[in-house]
């Protein structure tokens, strides 16, 4: 995580925590799907957990959930929430979050487009997962967005410090990077009306 990224997420953490979920039905549908891939014996790592809302909802389905984020402010807010006993919040950058590996499942919700080197992060996730393990992810892929939004609006909002810097990915590029890292894609959906938020479940097969 770059200093600029850490500063951005620390600065917006309170606002991020307070914002209502835009499409509750879509979020609930995603959680239901994610839960269907989990088992009560799983040890799970989540990278980029933010203020922990998803971890709090999903941790009751597994044995242990380690929820990490590079922003100390995000984790401070997460720790202030009521959480299941099998859930631990830890400050850790995605690239160095793997203490306790290998994991049965690694979750990455709205963070893979933010890491400095997405293919390298995917390789690290793959390396720190059990054979047969799952990556459950949701990633913004803005490359498929219209030209004006992508080339004008996004840079202007970034310049104003209102949104973070991120990789402008195509969904296909993201899928190819997962396959190149050694994953097989098991499911791919868009929940709700945001066509740029790609939910992908991918499995690590035996080499
Ligand atoms: C868009 S928020 C998503 C939070 C949460 N996963 C959710 O779905 O609401 C992105 C989160 O990723 C974290 N983040 C960004 N880059 C990161 C990195 N390289 N390592 C760890 N966390 C990172 C930020 O601090 C922020 O909490």
């Amino acid at each position: 995580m770059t200093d600029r990224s850490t500063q951005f997420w620390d600065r917006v953490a309170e606002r991020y925590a307070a914002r209502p979920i835009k499409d509750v039905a879509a979020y609930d549908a995603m959680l239901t799907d994610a839960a269907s891939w989990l088992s009560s014996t799983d040890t799970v790592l989540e990278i980029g957990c933010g203020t922990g809302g998803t971890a709090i909802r999903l941790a009751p389905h597994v044995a242990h959930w380690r929820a990490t984020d590079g922003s100390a402010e995000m984790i401070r807010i997460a720790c202030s929430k009521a959480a299941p006993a099998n859930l631990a919040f830890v400050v850790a950058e995605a690239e160095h979050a793997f203490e306790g590996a290998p994991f049965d499942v690694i979750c990455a919700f709205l963070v893979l487009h933010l890491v400095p080197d997405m293919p390298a992060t995917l390789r690290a996730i793959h390396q720190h997962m059990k054979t047969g393990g799952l990556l459950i992810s949701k990633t913004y892929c803005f490359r498929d967005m219209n030209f004006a939004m992508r080339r004008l609006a996004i840079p202007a909002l970034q310049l104003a410090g209102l949104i973070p810097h991120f990789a402008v990915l195509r969904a296909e590029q993201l899928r190819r990077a997962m396959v190149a890292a050694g994953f097989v894609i098991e499911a791919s959906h868009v929940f709700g009306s945001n066509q740029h938020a790609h939910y992908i479940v991918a499995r690590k097969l035996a080499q």
Side-chain angles (χ1 to χ4, degrees):
M1 208 168 171
T2 61
D3 287 351
R4 190 170 57 173
S5 174
T6 309
Q7 283 162 13
F8 174 87
W9 289 107
D10 280 348
R11 179 162 51 80
V12 302
E14 287 284 0
R15 238 182 309 140
Y16 193 84
R19 90 200 192 299
I21 291 167
K22 276 202 194 109
D23 185 342
V24 174
Y27 179 63
D28 285 346
M30 186 200 79
L31 289 184
T32 300
D33 189 88
S36 76
W37 296 92
L38 300 174
S39 110
S40 59
T41 55
D42 284 345
T43 58
V44 179
L45 169 69
E46 181 181 1
I47 60 169
C49 69
T51 58
T54 300
I56 289 168
R57 293 277 298 272
L58 290 178
H61 297 276
V62 304
H64 183 71
W65 190 287
R66 171 180 160 87
T68 66
D69 197 282
S71 158
E73 268 303 289
M74 289 285 191
I75 292 296
R76 182 188 62 75
I77 295 167
C79 288
S80 72
K81 297 180 178 176
N86 66 339
L87 169 57
F89 288 112
V90 177
V91 180
E93 304 204 357
E95 303 73 17
H96 309 288
F98 300 102
E99 195 182 309
F103 295 94
D104 297 290
V105 176
I106 298 183
C107 291
F109 297 115
L110 298 183
V111 67
L112 288 174
H113 57 290
L114 296 169
V115 297
D117 183 342
M118 184 266 288
T121 301
L122 285 172
R123 286 194 295 274
I125 289 172
H126 185 269
Q127 184 191 337
H128 291 95
M129 183 180 278
K130 293 177 190 169
T131 298
L134 289 173
L135 166 63
I136 305 180
S137 65
K138 185 164 80 167
T139 310
Y140 281 132
C141 296
F142 289 124
R143 189 67 193 272
D144 302 319
M145 182 177 256
N146 74 55
F147 182 87
M149 276 299 288
R150 182 161 52 83
R151 298 303 289 270
L152 302 173
I154 288 178
L157 291 169
Q158 284 174 331
L159 203 62
L162 295 175
I163 59 172
H165 283 261
F166 49 79
V168 180
L169 304 168
R170 275 193 205 289
E172 193 42 44
Q173 179 187 359
L174 174 65
R175 284 193 202 96
R176 274 206 307 269
M178 287 183 181
V179 170
F183 290 103
V184 169
I185 294 179
E186 298 245 329
S188 181
H189 304 290
V190 169
F191 291 105
S193 57
N194 187 341
Q195 295 300 306
H196 304 292
H198 291 266
Y199 171 87
I200 298 177
V201 180
R203 190 179 297 280
K204 172 176 178 170
L205 296 182
Q207 275 116 352

